[in-house]
């Protein structure tokens, strides 16, 4: 924690959470806003459904790759420069998407978006731990999740509106404008939170030592899996939205926002409860409650899809409840990751994001195309990914029972 943290931000804590949430919103905006335009982009650029799916995969794999470095760079050069350069690159990439005349160009600029977008969300996690002690950091991280949840709820509505009244190009010009506004907001308001005495020497040997220190720690890897893999239990449905919502549930593109409202409502509710629990119950218990909720609703969702034809009257509710359980436990798991090696919190945030984003890319490029045409396969895959996270957390509790007993009292 920065010893001068109390001097760096004098405005209300919620305002700081909003500022960091703005950084995190780029990810969901970059994914959710253009999903309603899939069919139009396919026709406009003479693309195949597989190529359109590659616009998602290119973004997600670019995001995963560069996530390895955003946090590590911020440990050496400071938090502000990394975020500002990332926002600048995102803005240029968004303009490139808007100007794309072929599917190949769109895939390229989507990859560039992915390479740059992660700077905000990766570095913001380290910023929170720079500024606050453990239990307070959990509250702030939960607040960030609440405010951040507004973005993906709005994004598909914006995308659907622009698709009808402007064009799919307008969606990416909108993202360009978002990049400009965020760059100006961060430049004016975000302080440098990494104390000069806590910076890591920037040298390839030192970087490799840090990556080895974290990458060879099984606790780190398992915690990253416990938070990142279950997320895909709901993210799978977002990635499959054009088919799941358009074909299975017979919704129009302008109606896709109902799915996102349900999901983000669950995330915001879970984050709100998580913040209220901070410092009141053991982190291990909070994580157990979150996994229990996800397990129960994922099983119910699978059984319902086996017995009944998916219908909009009930098929979206499991996503909201699953999201609630995930948001309840993920702020706690994230802080456990950051506190394993306090001297390398930026790098820890990077590697955690890399694990989760790699899983996201695999789900987008491989699993989603395989299962999106069956609601039973979607439900079964969602349950399986949640179980992988649960197994990871269960092994941690068995092998290192002391983990999770410090955040509530730190």
């Amino acid at each position: 924690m920065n010893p001068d943290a109390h001097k760096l931000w004098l405005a209300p804590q919620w305002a700081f959470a909003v500022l960091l949430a703005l950084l995190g919103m780029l990810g969901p905006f970059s994914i959710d806003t253009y999903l309603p335009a899939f069919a139009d982009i396919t026709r406009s650029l003479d693309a195949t459904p597989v190529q359109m799916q590659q616009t998602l995969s290119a973004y997600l794999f670019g995001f995963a790759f560069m996530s390895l470095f955003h946090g590590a760079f911020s440990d050496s050069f400071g938090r502000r420069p990394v975020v500002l350069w990332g926002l600048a690159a995102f803005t240029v990439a968004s303009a490139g998407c808007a100007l794309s005349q072929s599917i190949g160009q769109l895939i390229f600029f989507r990859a560039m978006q992915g390479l740059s977008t992660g700077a905000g969300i990766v570095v913001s996690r380290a910023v929170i731990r720079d500024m606050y002690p453990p239990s307070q950091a959990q509250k702030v991280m939960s607040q960030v999740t609440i405010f951040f949840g507004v973005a993906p709820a709005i994004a598909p509505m914006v995308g659907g509106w622009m698709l009808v009244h402007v064009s799919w190009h307008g969606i990416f010009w909108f993202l360009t404008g978002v990049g400009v506004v965020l760059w100006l907001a961060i430049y004016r308001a975000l302080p440098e939170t990494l104390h000069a005495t806590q910076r890591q020497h920037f040298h390839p040997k030192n970087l490799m030592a840090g990556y080895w220190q974290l990458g060879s720690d099984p606790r780190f890897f398992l915690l990253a899996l416990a938070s990142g893999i279950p997320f895909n239990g709901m993210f799978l449905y977002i990635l499959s939205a054009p088919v799941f919502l358009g074909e299975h549930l017979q919704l129009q593109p302008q109606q896709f926002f109902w799915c996102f409202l349900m999901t983000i409502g669950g995330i915001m509710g879970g984050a709100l409860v998580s913040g209220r629990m901070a410092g009141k119950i053991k982190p291990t218990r909070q994580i157990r409650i979150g996994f229990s909720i996800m397990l129960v609703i994922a099983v119910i969702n699978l059984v319902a899809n086996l017995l009944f034809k998916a219908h909009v009257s009930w098929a979206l509710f499991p996503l909201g409840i699953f999201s609630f359980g995930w948001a309840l436990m993920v702020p706690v798991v994230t802080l456990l990751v950051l506190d394993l090696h306090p001297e390398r919190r930026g790098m820890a945030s990077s590697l955690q994001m890399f694990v989760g984003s790699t899983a996201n890319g695999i789900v987008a490029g491989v699993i989603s195309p395989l299962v999106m045409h069956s609601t039973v396969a979607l439900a079964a895959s969602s349950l399986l990914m949640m179980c992988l996270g649960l197994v990871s957390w269960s092994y941690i509790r068995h092998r290192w029972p002391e983990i999770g007993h410090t955040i509530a009292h730190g």
Side-chain angles (χ1 to χ4, degrees):
M1 180 177 168
N2 191 321
D4 299 323
H6 63 287
K7 303 176 184 177
L8 297 178
W9 186 266
L10 302 179
Q13 179 181 293
W14 65 264
F16 189 68
V18 169
L19 185 64
L20 296 182
L22 290 175
L23 286 177
M25 69 182 273
L26 276 185
F29 255 105
S30 297
I31 295 172
D32 298 345
T33 310
Y34 91 125
L35 287 180
F38 256 44
D40 280 56
I41 297 175
T42 300
R43 288 191 296 269
S44 174
L45 299 182
D46 194 23
T48 67
V50 172
Q51 288 174 320
M52 282 306 302
Q53 202 69 25
Q54 287 172 349
T55 65
L56 272 174
S57 299
Y59 172 88
L60 292 170
F61 280 117
F63 186 100
F65 173 75
M66 200 59 198
S67 291
L68 280 171
F69 304 102
H70 292 308
F73 289 162
S74 76
D75 283 340
S76 297
F77 301 115
R79 313 301 189 201
R80 266 175 60 90
V82 174
V83 172
L84 289 172
W85 277 105
L87 286 173
F90 170 82
T91 303
V92 171
S94 298
C97 289
L99 296 170
S100 294
Q101 299 297 311
S102 69
I103 189 63
Q105 292 175 2
L106 182 60
I107 291 172
F108 172 81
F109 285 111
R110 284 288 292 165
M112 185 176 171
Q113 276 189 322
L115 289 169
S116 56
T117 308
I121 191 168
V122 168
V123 176
S124 65
R125 292 176 176 181
V127 166
I128 291 174
R129 199 58 184 89
D130 288 341
M131 293 288 289
Y132 299 102
S135 60
Q136 189 68 15
Q138 182 184 334
K139 293 179 181 179
V140 176
M141 197 155 311
S142 298
Q143 288 176 338
V144 167
T145 305
I146 293 171
F147 292 118
F148 153 85
V150 175
I154 297 173
M157 290 187 280
V158 172
W161 185 89
M162 287 194 167
L163 179 63
V164 172
H165 297 284
V166 187
S167 69
W168 68 265
H169 300 278
I171 294 173
F172 289 107
W173 283 124
F174 169 75
L175 292 176
T176 304
V178 169
V180 172
V181 171
L182 281 180
W183 193 96
L184 292 172
I186 296 303
Y187 181 79
R188 290 176 60 88
L190 182 68
E192 178 53 64
T193 62
L194 183 66
H195 196 271
T197 60
Q198 297 170 334
R199 297 196 179 192
Q200 295 288 320
H201 176 59
F202 185 75
H203 188 278
K205 185 177 180 180
N206 185 48
L207 277 179
M208 290 303 103
Y211 284 124
W212 176 256
Q213 180 186 20
L214 292 173
S216 61
D217 187 342
R219 300 172 302 167
F220 172 85
F221 184 70
L222 290 168
L223 283 171
L225 289 180
S227 62
I229 302 300
F231 171 78
N232 284 282
M234 61 176 174
F235 192 51
L236 173 65
Y237 281 91
I238 304 300
L239 293 169
S240 306
V243 174
F244 175 64
L245 301 178
E247 295 182 12
H248 296 307
L249 301 187
Q250 299 294 305
L251 295 178
Q252 297 300 312
Q254 299 92 324
Q255 298 173 309
F256 281 16
F257 75 93
W258 287 110
C259 173
F260 299 99
L261 281 178
M262 189 69 67
T263 304
I264 300 309
I267 290 176
M268 294 175 70
L272 179 64
V273 175
S274 179
R276 298 280 180 89
M277 288 181 170
K280 297 179 181 178
I281 68 173
K282 288 183 179 181
T284 51
R285 184 182 175 196
Q286 186 167 331
I287 295 170
R288 183 170 67 250
I289 293 172
F291 270 115
S292 298
I293 292 172
M294 287 188 288
L295 176 61
V296 170
I297 194 61
V299 171
I300 291 174
N301 185 43
L302 177 58
V303 172
N305 278 281
L306 284 169
L307 297 178
F308 308 104
K309 178 180 172 59
H311 190 271
V312 69
S313 62
W314 60 265
L316 297 180
F317 287 103
L319 301 183
I321 299 171
F322 190 100
S323 302
F324 179 92
W326 178 80
L328 184 66
M329 66 89 176
V330 79
V332 186
V333 178
T334 298
L335 288 173
L336 292 178
V337 169
L338 296 178
D339 285 346
L340 281 176
H341 300 279
E343 73 283 3
R344 295 189 182 274
R345 286 197 173 104
M347 184 177 286
S349 182
S350 275
L351 286 174
Q352 181 192 24
M353 187 63 65
F354 173 76
V355 172
S357 299
T358 300
N360 296 349
I362 293 172
V363 171
V366 180
I367 298 177
S368 176
L370 289 175
V371 304
M372 66 169 58
H373 297 287
S374 166
T375 58
V376 173
L378 280 168
S381 300
S382 176
L383 174 60
L384 178 60
M385 286 184 278
M386 190 287 307
C387 287
L388 289 175
L390 179 57
V391 169
S392 297
W393 173 247
S394 299
Y395 183 77
I396 290 170
R397 292 292 300 131
H398 172 73
R399 179 67 178 78
W400 296 279
E402 72 279 2
I403 289 182
H405 288 279
T406 57
I407 287 182
H409 307 289

